[in-house]
Amino acid sequence: MTAPLTIAVTGGAGQIGYQLLFRIAAGDMLGTDQPVRLRILEVPQAMAALEGVVMELQDAAFPLLASVDTTADASVAFEGADHALLVGARPRAKGMERSDLLAANGAIFAAQGRAIQEGASDRIRITVTGNPANTNALIAAAAAPDIPRERFSALTRLDHNRAIAQLAAKTGAPVADVRRMIVWGNHSATQVPDITHATIGGQPAVDLVEREWVKHEFVPTVANRGAAIIEARGASSAASAAAATIDHVRDWARGTAEGDWTSMSVISRGEYGVPEGLVSSFPVTTADGDWTIVEGLELDPDVEAQLRASVAELDDERMQVRALGLLG
Ligand code: NAD
Ligand code: LMR
């Protein structure tokens, strides 16, 4: 039997945690041949609720679940961790933008970045789901200068999945037929869902839908989906966010499908004019725990203009957190 991998998850008593932990334990993330040890970090006041989640994890009798430990101490949570899923943070409420959370959540990610550097396994891969996810990943990476920047990522897979679902619904195609979707930029309302390289059942997506629909319906629907869910549910997306976190880590660890790619927010080295050092969403292929940005794609003029605006927002967020002293 393969040795268990240690998966640290923060915010385990929260909404996303309640979905995510069970899917990890079931083998949906790292495979049905890979045992896991769960290490769950919460704030002290959520520990009682977390104990209930642990009871349920036990009651599910997952064959792959080697152990579950809970702690309110980040250095215990990340000790020896192979994957760190940074979910725990305050979600936005109605009327807020994700960037409104910068000050509230930024300090959490600096402290966790430091703890990851101190104790995590040298295989560590970090996925930030807690908002504002891109800039939180930047903060965590800045607090852990000894860990290669490439190990830090933020979740734009939910936006990618939303984009696939909207395009599939519009064309009547199964979601599995949609390939090469891209989401560029920030996980925010400025994000850039881009179908110009996508195919549906092998045909170019741009031949199957009208440009007006893309501009006036598709892009705004995908970019504002998080707010629409908050409006409808009175709480931010949780099951779909957990599913996207699973997809993100699974593809990172196990690889993207031949001929396809996914969208991940990763550290820019200047690709597509995104300033070096920003954590931005790009099309990536993955293999064996490494990602590679798909280079050489021609940018449609609308996509290019929107990407510049999204990157300007990321740059502005970086300036704000620098002013808060969160970039070291
Ligand atoms: P939630 O409020 O239900 O749960 C958050 C949990 O995090 C709480 O249990 C809280 O006690 C815990 N927490 C807070 N600070 C912590 C810390 N320092 N250490 C450990 N745990 C801590 O929220 P949720 O709905 O689960 O959402 C979590 C985060 O994910 C929010 O920031 C939300 O905006 C974000 N989110 C991101 C995406 C995405 O696509 N990137 C999608 C949905 C939600
Ligand atoms: C989402 O996209 O659903 C999350 O980022 C939650 C939010 O604040 O929109």
Side-chain angles (χ1 to χ4, degrees):
M1 189 67 156
T2 322
L5 291 174
T6 300
I7 317 300
V9 179
T10 74
Q15 288 199 86
I16 296 175
Y18 194 62
Q19 300 282 332
L20 183 61
L21 292 165
F22 292 82
R23 296 217 34 212
I24 298 169
D28 293 347
M29 187 170 83
L30 295 177
T32 49
D33 53 354
Q34 177 58 64
V36 290
R37 296 190 184 286
L38 285 174
R39 208 63 87 51
I40 312 174
L41 179 69
E42 257 296 352
V43 294
Q45 52 280 27
M47 276 301 166
L50 183 57
E51 283 316 310
V53 177
V54 172
M55 284 189 248
E56 287 205 67
L57 281 164
Q58 289 165 344
D59 295 349
F62 291 114
L64 293 169
L65 188 54
S67 63
V68 187
D69 294 296
T70 64
T71 179
D73 180 344
S75 56
V76 173
F78 298 118
E79 179 65 40
D82 298 295
H83 285 274
L85 310 189
L86 308 187
V87 177
R90 197 182 132 195
R92 67 172 165 157
K94 277 186 198 181
M96 289 170 84
E97 284 303 324
R98 296 180 187 102
S99 57
D100 294 334
L101 298 169
L102 269 178
N105 290 338
I108 295 175
F109 291 84
Q112 292 179 356
R114 281 192 291 276
I116 290 168
Q117 169 159 295
E118 271 164 34
S121 139
D122 54 15
R123 291 185 297 258
I124 185 72
R125 302 286 188 281
I126 301 114
T127 298
V128 177
T129 296
N131 280 318
N134 298 58
T135 298
N136 287 338
L138 185 70
I139 292 168
D146 296 345
I147 298 181
R149 289 5 355 239
E150 296 73 28
R151 302 294 187 82
F152 288 85
S153 69
L155 190 74
T156 32
R157 182 60 175 262
L158 179 53
D159 310 296
H160 179 97
N161 288 349
R162 287 168 171 163
I164 288 177
Q166 290 298 320
L167 187 59
K170 175 71 178 173
T171 57
V175 287
D177 283 4
V178 179
R179 290 161 81 87
R180 299 192 168 200
M181 180 60 75
I182 306 174
V183 172
W184 304 91
N186 198 3
H187 173 63
S188 76
T190 69
Q191 67 179 261
V192 191
D194 174 11
I195 69 155
T196 60
H197 301 277
T199 59
I200 304 177
Q203 278 187 276
V206 288
D207 294 349
L208 300 173
V209 291
E210 285 168 7
R211 206 172 162 89
E212 288 304 292
W213 174 79
V214 173
K215 194 167 176 172
H216 298 298
E217 286 193 44
F218 170 76
V219 170
T221 300
V222 174
N224 296 305
R225 190 70 159 183
I229 289 167
I230 292 170
E231 188 61 38
R233 256 172 50 82
S236 72
S237 65
S240 57
T245 305
I246 293 280
D247 289 346
H248 173 111
V249 179
R250 185 199 57 228
D251 284 355
W252 195 0
R254 297 166 70 93
T256 39
E258 183 66 34
D260 203 0
W261 58 55
T262 187
S263 302
M264 257 173 99
S265 286
V266 294
I267 210 105
S268 171
R269 300 184 193 102
E271 293 89 344
Y272 296 98
V274 177
E276 203 178 331
L278 290 178
V279 175
S280 171
S281 190
F282 289 102
V284 300
T285 56
T286 54
D288 300 326
D290 293 321
W291 50 263
T292 307
I293 292 177
V294 178
E295 294 205 65
L297 298 175
E298 200 171 316
L299 294 191
D300 169 270
D302 281 353
V303 169
E304 169 90 42
Q306 291 162 26
L307 177 57
R308 293 304 139 231
S310 195
V311 162
E313 181 185 52
L314 282 171
D315 226 349
D316 185 59
E317 288 183 16
R318 178 163 63 178
M319 278 192 288
Q320 288 184 53
V321 294
R322 190 172 281 134
L324 290 167
L326 292 171
L327 293 186

Short mmCIF file of all heavy atoms in Angstrom, two decimals, residues 91-150:
data_model
loop_
_atom_site.label_atom_id
_atom_site.label_comp_id
_atom_site.label_asym_id
_atom_site.label_seq_id
_atom_site.Cartn_x
_atom_site.Cartn_y
_atom_site.Cartn_z
N PRO A 91 -15.46 35.05 4.31
CA PRO A 91 -16.00 35.25 2.96
C PRO A 91 -16.65 36.62 2.83
O PRO A 91 -16.97 37.25 3.83
CB PRO A 91 -17.07 34.15 2.83
CG PRO A 91 -17.39 33.69 4.20
CD PRO A 91 -16.34 34.22 5.15
N ARG A 92 -16.84 37.10 1.61
CA ARG A 92 -17.51 38.40 1.46
C ARG A 92 -19.01 38.24 1.66
O ARG A 92 -19.57 37.16 1.44
CB ARG A 92 -17.20 39.03 0.10
CG ARG A 92 -17.76 38.31 -1.10
CD ARG A 92 -17.55 39.12 -2.36
NE ARG A 92 -17.76 38.29 -3.55
CZ ARG A 92 -18.07 38.77 -4.73
NH1 ARG A 92 -18.22 40.07 -4.91
NH2 ARG A 92 -18.23 37.96 -5.76
N ALA A 93 -19.63 39.34 2.04
CA ALA A 93 -21.09 39.35 2.19
C ALA A 93 -21.68 40.14 1.02
O ALA A 93 -20.94 40.70 0.20
CB ALA A 93 -21.44 40.01 3.52
N LYS A 94 -23.01 40.18 0.94
CA LYS A 94 -23.68 40.91 -0.14
C LYS A 94 -23.14 42.32 -0.23
O LYS A 94 -22.97 42.99 0.80
CB LYS A 94 -25.19 41.00 0.15
CG LYS A 94 -25.96 39.77 -0.26
CD LYS A 94 -27.47 39.97 -0.10
CE LYS A 94 -28.14 38.62 -0.09
NZ LYS A 94 -29.59 38.67 0.04
N GLY A 95 -22.90 42.77 -1.47
CA GLY A 95 -22.48 44.15 -1.67
C GLY A 95 -20.98 44.38 -1.56
O GLY A 95 -20.50 45.45 -1.91
N MET A 96 -20.23 43.38 -1.09
CA MET A 96 -18.77 43.55 -0.99
C MET A 96 -18.11 43.04 -2.27
O MET A 96 -18.64 42.15 -2.94
CB MET A 96 -18.21 42.71 0.17
CG MET A 96 -18.53 43.20 1.55
SD MET A 96 -18.06 41.94 2.78
CE MET A 96 -16.33 42.30 3.01
N GLU A 97 -16.94 43.58 -2.58
CA GLU A 97 -16.08 42.98 -3.60
C GLU A 97 -15.06 42.11 -2.87
O GLU A 97 -14.79 42.32 -1.69
CB GLU A 97 -15.37 44.06 -4.43
CG GLU A 97 -16.27 44.74 -5.46
CD GLU A 97 -16.93 43.78 -6.45
OE1 GLU A 97 -16.30 42.79 -6.84
OE2 GLU A 97 -18.10 44.02 -6.81
N ARG A 98 -14.47 41.14 -3.60
CA ARG A 98 -13.52 40.24 -2.92
C ARG A 98 -12.33 41.00 -2.37
O ARG A 98 -11.76 40.67 -1.34
CB ARG A 98 -13.08 39.13 -3.87
CG ARG A 98 -14.24 38.22 -4.30
CD ARG A 98 -13.74 37.14 -5.24
NE ARG A 98 -14.81 36.33 -5.81
CZ ARG A 98 -15.28 36.48 -7.05
NH1 ARG A 98 -14.79 37.41 -7.85
NH2 ARG A 98 -16.23 35.70 -7.50
N SER A 99 -11.97 42.10 -3.08
CA SER A 99 -10.80 42.88 -2.63
C SER A 99 -11.07 43.58 -1.29
O SER A 99 -10.14 43.99 -0.60
CB SER A 99 -10.41 43.89 -3.69
OG SER A 99 -11.52 44.72 -3.96
N ASP A 100 -12.37 43.73 -0.91
CA ASP A 100 -12.67 44.33 0.39
C ASP A 100 -12.12 43.47 1.53
O ASP A 100 -12.06 43.91 2.68
CB ASP A 100 -14.19 44.51 0.58
CG ASP A 100 -14.77 45.52 -0.39
OD1 ASP A 100 -14.01 46.41 -0.83
OD2 ASP A 100 -15.96 45.41 -0.74
N LEU A 101 -11.76 42.24 1.22
CA LEU A 101 -11.30 41.33 2.26
C LEU A 101 -9.78 41.38 2.48
O LEU A 101 -9.25 40.68 3.33
CB LEU A 101 -11.68 39.89 1.88
CG LEU A 101 -13.19 39.62 1.77
CD1 LEU A 101 -13.42 38.26 1.13
CD2 LEU A 101 -13.83 39.67 3.15
N LEU A 102 -9.12 42.22 1.67
CA LEU A 102 -7.64 42.22 1.70
C LEU A 102 -7.07 42.37 3.10
O LEU A 102 -6.24 41.57 3.54
CB LEU A 102 -7.10 43.37 0.84
CG LEU A 102 -6.82 43.08 -0.61
CD1 LEU A 102 -6.34 44.34 -1.30
CD2 LEU A 102 -5.79 41.97 -0.73
N ALA A 103 -7.51 43.41 3.81
CA ALA A 103 -6.94 43.66 5.13
C ALA A 103 -7.37 42.57 6.11
O ALA A 103 -6.57 42.07 6.90
CB ALA A 103 -7.36 45.03 5.63
N ALA A 104 -8.66 42.19 6.04
CA ALA A 104 -9.19 41.20 6.99
C ALA A 104 -8.47 39.87 6.87
O ALA A 104 -8.18 39.21 7.87
CB ALA A 104 -10.69 41.01 6.77
N ASN A 105 -8.19 39.46 5.64
CA ASN A 105 -7.65 38.11 5.45
C ASN A 105 -6.15 38.05 5.21
O ASN A 105 -5.54 36.99 5.38
CB ASN A 105 -8.38 37.41 4.29
CG ASN A 105 -9.82 37.07 4.67
OD1 ASN A 105 -10.14 36.96 5.85
ND2 ASN A 105 -10.67 36.89 3.68
N GLY A 106 -5.56 39.18 4.81
CA GLY A 106 -4.15 39.16 4.42
C GLY A 106 -3.23 38.63 5.52
O GLY A 106 -2.34 37.81 5.26
N ALA A 107 -3.48 39.07 6.75
CA ALA A 107 -2.58 38.69 7.86
C ALA A 107 -2.59 37.18 8.08
O ALA A 107 -1.57 36.59 8.44
CB ALA A 107 -2.99 39.42 9.12
N ILE A 108 -3.74 36.56 7.85
CA ILE A 108 -3.85 35.10 8.03
C ILE A 108 -2.86 34.39 7.10
O ILE A 108 -2.18 33.45 7.50
CB ILE A 108 -5.29 34.63 7.66
CG1 ILE A 108 -6.32 35.21 8.61
CG2 ILE A 108 -5.37 33.12 7.57
CD1 ILE A 108 -7.77 34.88 8.22
N PHE A 109 -2.76 34.89 5.87
CA PHE A 109 -1.95 34.18 4.88
C PHE A 109 -0.46 34.42 5.08
O PHE A 109 0.35 33.54 4.75
CB PHE A 109 -2.45 34.53 3.46
CG PHE A 109 -3.81 33.95 3.24
CD1 PHE A 109 -4.95 34.60 3.66
CD2 PHE A 109 -3.94 32.69 2.71
CE1 PHE A 109 -6.21 34.03 3.53
CE2 PHE A 109 -5.18 32.09 2.58
CZ PHE A 109 -6.32 32.77 2.98
N ALA A 110 -0.10 35.57 5.66
CA ALA A 110 1.31 35.80 5.98
C ALA A 110 1.74 34.81 7.07
O ALA A 110 2.79 34.15 6.97
CB ALA A 110 1.51 37.24 6.44
N ALA A 111 0.93 34.68 8.11
CA ALA A 111 1.28 33.78 9.22
C ALA A 111 1.33 32.33 8.72
O ALA A 111 2.23 31.56 9.09
CB ALA A 111 0.25 33.92 10.34
N GLN A 112 0.40 31.97 7.86
CA GLN A 112 0.39 30.58 7.38
C GLN A 112 1.56 30.32 6.42
O GLN A 112 2.13 29.23 6.43
CB GLN A 112 -0.97 30.27 6.74
CG GLN A 112 -2.06 30.27 7.83
CD GLN A 112 -3.45 29.98 7.32
OE1 GLN A 112 -3.68 29.83 6.12
NE2 GLN A 112 -4.40 29.90 8.23
N GLY A 113 1.93 31.31 5.62
CA GLY A 113 3.10 31.16 4.75
C GLY A 113 4.35 30.87 5.58
O GLY A 113 5.14 29.99 5.26
N ARG A 114 4.49 31.60 6.68
CA ARG A 114 5.67 31.40 7.56
C ARG A 114 5.65 29.98 8.14
O ARG A 114 6.67 29.29 8.15
CB ARG A 114 5.67 32.42 8.70
CG ARG A 114 6.17 33.80 8.28
CD ARG A 114 6.43 34.70 9.49
NE ARG A 114 5.21 35.10 10.18
CZ ARG A 114 4.43 36.13 9.82
NH1 ARG A 114 4.76 36.88 8.78
NH2 ARG A 114 3.33 36.42 10.50
N ALA A 115 4.49 29.55 8.59
CA ALA A 115 4.40 28.20 9.20
C ALA A 115 4.67 27.12 8.15
O ALA A 115 5.29 26.10 8.45
CB ALA A 115 3.03 28.02 9.84
N ILE A 116 4.24 27.34 6.94
CA ILE A 116 4.48 26.36 5.87
C ILE A 116 6.00 26.26 5.61
O ILE A 116 6.56 25.17 5.50
CB ILE A 116 3.70 26.75 4.59
CG1 ILE A 116 2.20 26.54 4.82
CG2 ILE A 116 4.19 25.95 3.38
CD1 ILE A 116 1.31 27.14 3.75
N GLN A 117 6.63 27.41 5.54
CA GLN A 117 8.08 27.40 5.30
C GLN A 117 8.82 26.66 6.42
O GLN A 117 9.76 25.90 6.16
CB GLN A 117 8.60 28.82 5.18
CG GLN A 117 10.12 28.89 5.19
CD GLN A 117 10.64 30.16 4.58
OE1 GLN A 117 10.47 30.40 3.40
NE2 GLN A 117 11.28 30.98 5.37
N GLU A 118 8.37 26.87 7.65
CA GLU A 118 9.07 26.24 8.78
C GLU A 118 8.95 24.72 8.78
O GLU A 118 9.90 24.03 9.09
CB GLU A 118 8.47 26.74 10.11
CG GLU A 118 9.13 27.99 10.63
CD GLU A 118 8.27 28.65 11.69
OE1 GLU A 118 7.60 27.95 12.46
OE2 GLU A 118 8.28 29.90 11.72
N GLY A 119 7.76 24.22 8.41
CA GLY A 119 7.57 22.80 8.72
C GLY A 119 7.09 21.88 7.61
O GLY A 119 7.10 20.66 7.79
N ALA A 120 6.68 22.44 6.47
CA ALA A 120 6.05 21.56 5.46
C ALA A 120 7.07 20.62 4.83
O ALA A 120 8.28 20.85 4.90
CB ALA A 120 5.38 22.41 4.39
N SER A 121 6.57 19.58 4.20
CA SER A 121 7.41 18.63 3.47
C SER A 121 8.09 19.35 2.30
O SER A 121 7.58 20.36 1.80
CB SER A 121 6.48 17.52 2.93
OG SER A 121 6.82 17.15 1.63
N ASP A 122 9.21 18.85 1.82
CA ASP A 122 9.82 19.54 0.67
C ASP A 122 9.07 19.26 -0.63
O ASP A 122 9.41 19.81 -1.67
CB ASP A 122 11.33 19.31 0.57
CG ASP A 122 11.68 17.85 0.57
OD1 ASP A 122 10.77 17.05 0.36
OD2 ASP A 122 12.88 17.53 0.79
N ARG A 123 8.01 18.45 -0.55
CA ARG A 123 7.15 18.27 -1.74
C ARG A 123 5.97 19.24 -1.73
O ARG A 123 5.11 19.18 -2.61
CB ARG A 123 6.55 16.85 -1.75
CG ARG A 123 7.54 15.75 -2.02
CD ARG A 123 6.79 14.43 -2.13
NE ARG A 123 6.13 14.12 -0.87
CZ ARG A 123 6.58 13.23 0.02
NH1 ARG A 123 7.68 12.55 -0.25
NH2 ARG A 123 5.93 12.99 1.14
N ILE A 124 5.89 20.12 -0.74
CA ILE A 124 4.67 20.91 -0.52
C ILE A 124 4.17 21.63 -1.78
O ILE A 124 4.95 22.19 -2.54
CB ILE A 124 4.90 21.96 0.62
CG1 ILE A 124 3.60 22.72 0.95
CG2 ILE A 124 5.99 22.95 0.26
CD1 ILE A 124 2.59 21.92 1.67
N ARG A 125 2.85 21.58 -1.97
CA ARG A 125 2.16 22.36 -3.00
C ARG A 125 1.05 23.12 -2.28
O ARG A 125 0.31 22.52 -1.50
CB ARG A 125 1.52 21.46 -4.07
CG ARG A 125 2.51 20.53 -4.80
CD ARG A 125 3.36 21.33 -5.77
NE ARG A 125 4.21 20.52 -6.65
CZ ARG A 125 5.38 19.97 -6.33
NH1 ARG A 125 5.84 20.06 -5.09
NH2 ARG A 125 6.09 19.32 -7.23
N ILE A 126 0.93 24.42 -2.55
CA ILE A 126 -0.02 25.25 -1.80
C ILE A 126 -1.10 25.79 -2.74
O ILE A 126 -0.79 26.36 -3.79
CB ILE A 126 0.71 26.44 -1.12
CG1 ILE A 126 1.80 25.91 -0.18
CG2 ILE A 126 -0.26 27.35 -0.37
CD1 ILE A 126 3.21 26.22 -0.59
N THR A 127 -2.34 25.60 -2.34
CA THR A 127 -3.48 26.08 -3.12
C THR A 127 -4.31 27.02 -2.25
O THR A 127 -4.80 26.62 -1.20
CB THR A 127 -4.37 24.90 -3.56
OG1 THR A 127 -3.59 24.04 -4.40
CG2 THR A 127 -5.60 25.38 -4.32
N VAL A 128 -4.45 28.26 -2.69
CA VAL A 128 -5.22 29.24 -1.92
C VAL A 128 -6.62 29.38 -2.52
O VAL A 128 -6.77 29.78 -3.68
CB VAL A 128 -4.52 30.62 -1.91
CG1 VAL A 128 -5.38 31.64 -1.17
CG2 VAL A 128 -3.15 30.51 -1.25
N THR A 129 -7.61 29.07 -1.70
CA THR A 129 -9.01 29.25 -2.10
C THR A 129 -9.59 30.49 -1.42
O THR A 129 -10.43 31.19 -1.99
CB THR A 129 -9.83 27.98 -1.72
OG1 THR A 129 -9.33 26.88 -2.48
CG2 THR A 129 -11.30 28.16 -1.99
N GLY A 130 -9.16 30.78 -0.20
CA GLY A 130 -9.69 31.92 0.57
C GLY A 130 -9.44 33.24 -0.15
O GLY A 130 -8.35 33.48 -0.68
N ASN A 131 -10.43 34.09 -0.18
CA ASN A 131 -10.36 35.35 -0.94
C ASN A 131 -9.73 36.51 -0.18
O ASN A 131 -9.82 36.55 1.04
CB ASN A 131 -11.78 35.75 -1.37
CG ASN A 131 -12.22 34.98 -2.59
OD1 ASN A 131 -11.44 34.79 -3.51
ND2 ASN A 131 -13.47 34.54 -2.59
N PRO A 132 -9.16 37.47 -0.92
CA PRO A 132 -8.93 37.52 -2.36
C PRO A 132 -7.78 36.56 -2.72
O PRO A 132 -6.62 36.82 -2.39
CB PRO A 132 -8.58 38.97 -2.64
CG PRO A 132 -8.07 39.50 -1.34
CD PRO A 132 -8.69 38.70 -0.23
N ALA A 133 -8.13 35.47 -3.40
CA ALA A 133 -7.25 34.31 -3.49
C ALA A 133 -5.88 34.63 -4.13
O ALA A 133 -4.84 34.21 -3.61
CB ALA A 133 -7.96 33.20 -4.26
N ASN A 134 -5.89 35.39 -5.24
CA ASN A 134 -4.61 35.63 -5.93
C ASN A 134 -3.63 36.37 -5.03
O ASN A 134 -2.46 36.00 -4.92
CB ASN A 134 -4.83 36.44 -7.21
CG ASN A 134 -5.70 35.71 -8.20
OD1 ASN A 134 -6.84 35.34 -7.88
ND2 ASN A 134 -5.19 35.47 -9.38
N THR A 135 -4.14 37.43 -4.40
CA THR A 135 -3.23 38.25 -3.59
C THR A 135 -2.90 37.56 -2.28
O THR A 135 -1.79 37.72 -1.75
CB THR A 135 -3.83 39.67 -3.45
OG1 THR A 135 -3.90 40.21 -4.79
CG2 THR A 135 -2.98 40.57 -2.58
N ASN A 136 -3.81 36.75 -1.76
CA ASN A 136 -3.46 35.96 -0.57
C ASN A 136 -2.32 34.99 -0.89
O ASN A 136 -1.44 34.75 -0.05
CB ASN A 136 -4.67 35.18 -0.06
CG ASN A 136 -5.70 36.08 0.61
OD1 ASN A 136 -5.37 37.17 1.07
ND2 ASN A 136 -6.94 35.63 0.68
N ALA A 137 -2.33 34.42 -2.09
CA ALA A 137 -1.24 33.50 -2.48
C ALA A 137 0.08 34.28 -2.57
O ALA A 137 1.13 33.79 -2.15
CB ALA A 137 -1.56 32.83 -3.81
N LEU A 138 -0.01 35.50 -3.08
CA LEU A 138 1.18 36.35 -3.16
C LEU A 138 1.73 36.63 -1.76
O LEU A 138 2.94 36.57 -1.52
CB LEU A 138 0.77 37.67 -3.83
CG LEU A 138 1.84 38.69 -4.13
CD1 LEU A 138 2.74 38.18 -5.25
CD2 LEU A 138 1.20 40.02 -4.54
N ILE A 139 0.83 36.92 -0.82
CA ILE A 139 1.23 37.21 0.57
C ILE A 139 1.88 35.96 1.19
O ILE A 139 2.94 36.04 1.82
CB ILE A 139 0.00 37.63 1.41
CG1 ILE A 139 -0.53 38.98 0.93
CG2 ILE A 139 0.33 37.67 2.90
CD1 ILE A 139 -1.90 39.36 1.50
N ALA A 140 1.26 34.81 1.01
CA ALA A 140 1.81 33.57 1.59
C ALA A 140 3.18 33.28 1.00
O ALA A 140 4.12 32.92 1.73
CB ALA A 140 0.84 32.40 1.35
N ALA A 141 3.33 33.46 -0.30
CA ALA A 141 4.62 33.19 -0.96
C ALA A 141 5.69 34.15 -0.44
O ALA A 141 6.84 33.75 -0.20
CB ALA A 141 4.47 33.31 -2.48
N ALA A 142 5.30 35.43 -0.25
CA ALA A 142 6.28 36.41 0.24
C ALA A 142 6.75 36.06 1.65
O ALA A 142 7.89 36.36 2.02
CB ALA A 142 5.67 37.81 0.22
N ALA A 143 5.87 35.42 2.43
CA ALA A 143 6.24 35.05 3.80
C ALA A 143 7.06 33.77 3.85
O ALA A 143 7.51 33.37 4.92
CB ALA A 143 4.96 34.90 4.64
N ALA A 144 7.23 33.12 2.71
CA ALA A 144 7.94 31.84 2.67
C ALA A 144 9.00 31.86 1.55
O ALA A 144 8.94 31.08 0.61
CB ALA A 144 6.93 30.70 2.42
N PRO A 145 9.98 32.77 1.68
CA PRO A 145 10.92 32.98 0.57
C PRO A 145 11.77 31.76 0.23
O PRO A 145 12.32 31.69 -0.87
CB PRO A 145 11.78 34.15 1.04
CG PRO A 145 11.60 34.22 2.52
CD PRO A 145 10.24 33.68 2.81
N ASP A 146 11.89 30.79 1.17
CA ASP A 146 12.72 29.61 0.87
C ASP A 146 11.96 28.56 0.05
O ASP A 146 12.56 27.58 -0.38
CB ASP A 146 13.21 28.95 2.17
CG ASP A 146 14.13 29.90 2.95
OD1 ASP A 146 14.59 30.90 2.35
OD2 ASP A 146 14.35 29.65 4.15
N ILE A 147 10.67 28.73 -0.10
CA ILE A 147 9.89 27.77 -0.90
C ILE A 147 9.79 28.31 -2.33
O ILE A 147 9.49 29.49 -2.52
CB ILE A 147 8.48 27.57 -0.30
CG1 ILE A 147 8.61 27.00 1.12
CG2 ILE A 147 7.63 26.67 -1.18
CD1 ILE A 147 7.29 26.74 1.81
N PRO A 148 10.08 27.46 -3.34
CA PRO A 148 9.99 27.97 -4.71
C PRO A 148 8.62 28.59 -4.99
O PRO A 148 7.59 28.04 -4.60
CB PRO A 148 10.21 26.72 -5.57
CG PRO A 148 10.88 25.74 -4.67
CD PRO A 148 10.44 26.05 -3.27
N ARG A 149 8.63 29.73 -5.68
CA ARG A 149 7.38 30.47 -5.97
C ARG A 149 6.34 29.61 -6.71
O ARG A 149 5.15 29.81 -6.60
CB ARG A 149 7.63 31.64 -6.91
CG ARG A 149 8.31 32.90 -6.65
CD ARG A 149 9.01 33.39 -5.50
NE ARG A 149 9.05 32.63 -4.31
CZ ARG A 149 8.60 33.04 -3.13
NH1 ARG A 149 8.07 34.22 -3.05
NH2 ARG A 149 8.71 32.30 -2.04
N GLU A 150 6.88 28.68 -7.49
CA GLU A 150 6.00 27.84 -8.33
C GLU A 150 5.11 26.93 -7.51
O GLU A 150 4.17 26.33 -8.03
CB GLU A 150 6.84 26.96 -9.27
CG GLU A 150 7.66 27.71 -10.29
CD GLU A 150 8.87 28.41 -9.69
OE1 GLU A 150 9.41 27.95 -8.66
OE2 GLU A 150 9.27 29.45 -10.27
#
